[in-house]
Amino acid sequence: MAFVELSGVTKSFHKGATTITPLDDVSLTIEQGEFFVLLGPSGSGKTTLLHLLAGIDPPDRGQVVVGGKDIATLRAGPLADWRAEHVGYVFQQHHLVPVLTAWENVELPLFLFPLSTAERTKRVGFALRAVGLDDRADHYPRQLSGGQEQRVAIARAIVADPPLLLADEPTGNLDHDSAQSVLDLLARLHHERGKTIVMVTHDPNAAARGTRMVHLDKGRLHEEARR
Amino acid sequence: MNLRGSFRLMRRNLARRPARTVLTVAGVAAAIALFVLVESLAAGLDRAVSGSESARTLVVYQKNRYCPQTSFLSQSEAVRIAKIDGVESVLPVKVFLSNCRTSLDTVAFHGVPADLLFDARRIDLIAGDRATFLQRGDAALVGEAFAQRRGLDVGDAFRFNRIEVQVAGIFRSPEPIEENLIVTHLELLQRSGAVNKLGTVTEFEVKISDPARGRAIAAEIDALLATSAAATDTRAKAAFLESATADLREILRFGRLFGICCVAAVLALVANTVAMAVRERIGELAVMRTLGWRDGRLMRLLLAESCALALLGGALGTAAAWITITTTRLTLGVEGVLVGFALSPRLVATAGAVALLAGLLAAALPAWKATRAPIPAALRGA
């Protein structure tokens, strides 16, 4: 059984009198452990698809099943709990909380679980080491470079050890070296920890890191490559 | 969520814009200080007129006179009043006030016949002794509140205008109004004015056995003295105090309205601050919701931040009011009735509750809106 399954999903937005339908009767399956890359031009609905998978936006029609659960049927509270446990989200702009240190930002999702201080300390340390920033734990986001901020955001996404990692253009705002470092990190998480990763990008070089590439255009999906 | 984590986040968020936080706390503090001052004055007024003896005490005053300095009754009339059926005792009192109108630091002397004082008034000496008071013509017993206000102790001399007294004792009284008085010998006050007024007093305090007959006895006294040198107006002490403080109550009613307006202004101030803070953080809140934070949890965090601001301001405001009251020891005098500020633990709790409620109300709408906004739209604005 597929880990992620979208069946007949449609999502529309209203902009004044105009209706935009970025996803039109989309069906898709993603297997557990895949590094799935979603390509497409700006405004093609890539981020919308990611929002649906994360359960932060409901579909107008169709089913979104992740890990055997139809998340579109969950109410807001249980859906938030599900998200905390199952999804790690990496934004294009890191979106770290500016008044918290790197350590505290990474610790943030763990406050949602009944963990002891020692266990939280262990997990945060582990996540920061995984992204190579344990020596920057006490730095505030303003004291970090763009690449470092994005790596802290990845540490925050993986600290609760969710099975699904969603990354929305994670290298979109980074220079070449920082982008390569972030992509290496995602690839390592996929290889070493078997994470299912769904990455949205419009950069073909970044897309090449995935095991499967799908192109989204005019609300429809087109399979491009599978490795 | 783990409390330590919530507290850390709250603390960091409040420190995000220190100037804004300080100004908001200062605004809340000013409003709560005003609220506490007005309410403690109202409580002081209630306390002043709440004496247990006021129901069975009549005050005989010269008719159509409001200031004690202008009421002159013949001291000898005390004998005639004492003969009325139902009268237990009559205490002639000469009143001297530093200021007859409304004033914030009034000094009030009561001159009474020393031999009648301890039977007519329930006075509990907490320092000094009765014998010294009875022996010395310039001796005075000072109410505990006044002694504290002026830093007086037994043996001290106290002078005001032409009156100079030696403090022979400090007393407590079940009548709160009396604890702001200086009680001295009647003759001392009668001789203290520019014109010698021996034989005259300001009022008679008449104790009656049955409070239910108060009105009838008052009418009888007024009828008895109608043909004397000065016609009288006799009222129950409670009514006398109510009448004397009516204007003050009116001012306090306005003061309370003013206080409520201040609390409303604070509500708007905190609401505006919270709304601005939430607007700035709408994207950040959306990120936290994406991480799995429940809307209710975030709402509680925002409410806690607002309440922390309001409570901190409330605590500072209450402290400022307390310092003002205790250091200045102000007493409002109005037509001879002295009213102190009464800051009780209950009032402190009320001020805290008002601040807390303002914090909750101010944050409720912005917090609700921020946590109900669609996450994708909020993320786009981040």
Side-chain angles (χ1 to χ4, degrees):
Chain A
M1 189 184 170
F3 184 59
V4 175
E5 194 168 349
L6 271 73
S7 320
V9 168
T10 298
K11 183 72 188 176
S12 302
F13 298 106
H14 300 284
K15 219 172 190 179
T18 316
T19 301
I20 302 160
T21 307
L23 300 175
D24 184 13
D25 195 25
V26 166
S27 294
L28 168 73
T29 57
I30 301 171
E31 300 301 323
Q32 186 142 25
E34 262 191 323
F35 190 158
F36 181 92
V37 177
L38 191 59
L39 282 157
S42 294
S44 60
K46 304 186 297 294
T47 297
T48 302
L49 185 66
L50 224 52
H51 287 170
L52 294 182
L53 291 178
I56 60 175
D57 209 4
D60 296 335
R61 258 203 324 272
Q63 272 192 322
V64 180
V65 179
V66 180
K69 182 162 279 195
D70 184 356
I71 60 170
T73 62
L74 292 175
R75 291 170 65 86
L79 184 58
D81 296 343
W82 173 85
R83 214 160 36 233
E85 204 172 330
H86 294 88
V87 179
Y89 204 108
V90 182
F91 301 90
Q92 179 175 359
Q93 287 160 330
H94 52 83
H95 285 323
L96 299 176
V97 179
V99 290
L100 300 180
T101 63
W103 179 283
E104 290 162 348
N105 265 288
V106 175
E107 194 181 22
L108 210 47
L110 296 185
F111 285 128
L112 304 174
F113 299 95
L115 298 174
S116 65
T117 307
E119 180 63 20
R120 277 204 313 274
T121 305
K122 190 176 123 193
R123 289 203 192 189
V124 174
F126 187 74
L128 280 173
R129 272 194 301 280
V131 299
L133 284 175
D134 45 331
D135 59 335
R136 295 281 193 276
D138 294 333
H139 287 55
Y140 285 90
R142 63 176 182 277
Q143 297 168 313
L144 299 170
S145 68
Q148 286 170 334
E149 283 178 310
Q150 195 58 295
R151 278 151 64 195
V152 173
I154 293 172
R156 182 178 64 184
I158 62 170
V159 73
D161 198 24
L164 179 62
L165 204 55
L166 304 175
D168 189 1
E169 308 247 19
T171 57
N173 283 353
L174 301 181
D175 59 50
H176 179 265
D177 289 347
S178 299
Q180 288 311 310
S181 151
V182 166
L183 290 171
D184 289 345
L185 181 58
L186 290 174
R188 196 150 50 82
L189 288 170
H190 170 244
H191 284 303
E192 293 175 6
R193 300 213 198 165
K195 297 279 178 207
T196 305
I197 299 177
V198 179
M199 182 172 78
V200 159
T201 184
H202 59 259
D203 174 9
N205 291 329
R209 299 294 191 106
T211 53
R212 185 177 163 203
M213 272 188 282
V214 169
H215 199 271
L216 178 64
D217 195 16
K218 297 193 173 93
R220 299 282 176 170
L221 289 171
H222 309 280
E223 189 91 18
E224 292 211 339
R226 192 188 278 267
R227 284 188 287 171
Chain B
M1 182 193 169
N2 167 301
L3 267 178
R4 222 178 74 183
S6 291
F7 183 71
R8 181 203 292 160
L9 252 180
M10 201 172 82
R11 196 161 40 87
R12 297 288 177 81
N13 284 327
L14 292 178
R16 207 181 271 243
R17 305 259 183 202
R20 187 168 67 193
T21 299
V22 167
L23 287 174
T24 307
V25 168
V28 176
I32 294 294
L34 182 70
F35 172 82
V36 170
L37 286 172
V38 169
E39 287 303 315
S40 60
L41 187 57
L45 181 57
D46 287 340
R47 187 168 177 269
V49 298
S50 69
S52 57
E53 292 292 293
S54 58
R56 60 183 213 96
T57 305
L58 301 179
V59 175
V60 184
Y61 216 68
Q62 188 173 346
K63 199 170 183 178
N64 298 327
R65 300 296 163 94
Y66 302 101
C67 174
Q69 316 285 58
T70 59
S71 174
F72 297 102
L73 302 173
S74 170
Q75 187 180 343
S76 60
E77 303 291 7
V79 180
R80 293 171 68 198
I81 295 171
K83 286 179 182 162
I84 294 174
D85 184 34
V87 171
E88 274 186 0
S89 67
V90 180
L91 182 70
V93 182
K94 174 81 180 168
V95 178
F96 177 85
L97 286 180
S98 60
N99 188 342
C100 200
R101 288 168 298 179
T102 305
S103 163
L104 270 175
D105 187 16
T106 308
V107 177
F109 289 89
H110 274 197
V112 295
D115 52 331
L116 298 180
L117 173 65
F118 294 97
D119 291 331
R121 285 187 182 175
R122 287 164 62 193
I123 277 178
D124 174 21
L125 278 182
I126 56 170
D129 64 282
R130 187 190 289 209
T132 312
F133 174 69
L134 293 172
Q135 283 160 13
R136 289 191 60 158
D138 64 346
L141 299 177
V142 179
E144 188 183 21
F146 185 81
Q148 281 179 355
R149 184 152 60 99
R150 291 293 180 129
L152 292 175
D153 214 337
V154 174
D156 290 347
F158 179 74
R159 184 184 175 87
F160 191 85
N161 280 0
R162 297 176 178 206
I163 306 168
E164 180 166 357
V165 291
Q166 298 291 321
V167 179
I170 294 171
F171 68 89
R172 273 192 199 132
S173 166
E175 306 297 305
I177 197 170
E178 289 177 2
E179 291 199 349
N180 275 303
L181 297 178
I182 303 165
V183 180
T184 187
H185 294 268
L186 178 59
E187 197 178 327
L188 181 79
L189 287 198
Q190 285 174 329
R191 291 181 187 278
S192 66
V195 179
N196 194 324
K197 288 284 184 184
L198 270 177
T200 66
V201 294
T202 308
E203 63 188 33
F204 294 108
E205 278 181 20
V206 180
K207 283 270 175 0
I208 56 174
S209 49
D210 181 8
R213 289 199 57 224
R215 198 174 286 234
I217 295 174
E220 212 173 324
I221 293 170
D222 289 341
L224 179 71
L225 302 181
T227 53
S228 66
T232 56
D233 178 12
T234 304
R235 278 177 286 173
K237 192 173 180 184
F240 173 79
L241 292 175
E242 283 294 330
S243 160
T245 56
D247 289 347
L248 183 57
R249 283 190 188 281
E250 204 54 43
I251 293 166
L252 270 176
R253 207 166 293 139
F254 176 76
R256 273 186 158 143
L257 190 68
F258 193 58
I260 290 168
C261 289
C262 279
V263 171
V266 160
L267 195 74
L269 174 78
V270 180
N272 185 45
T273 306
V274 174
M276 278 196 295
V278 168
R279 207 175 305 128
E280 272 175 12
R281 286 159 54 198
I282 198 115
E284 197 176 298
L285 293 169
V287 170
M288 290 172 79
R289 291 164 75 195
T290 305
L291 296 180
W293 285 58
R294 281 189 176 219
D295 297 346
R297 195 170 270 164
L298 283 172
M299 180 138 177
R300 284 199 295 276
L301 179 71
L302 294 170
L303 288 177
E305 284 176 22
S306 168
C307 289
L309 276 182
L311 278 177
L312 181 60
L316 290 175
T318 306
W322 179 77
I323 289 168
T324 306
I325 290 168
T326 51
T327 55
T328 59
R329 296 190 184 281
L330 293 176
T331 299
L332 194 69
V334 49
E335 292 185 20
V337 179
L338 302 181
V339 179
F341 290 81
L343 180 52
S344 62
R346 189 176 168 184
L347 181 53
V348 172
T350 305
V354 166
L356 186 67
L357 189 67
L360 278 175
L361 287 176
L365 186 63
W368 188 84
K369 280 170 80 173
T371 53
R372 264 38 179 199
I375 298 177
L379 283 173
R380 274 194 296 276

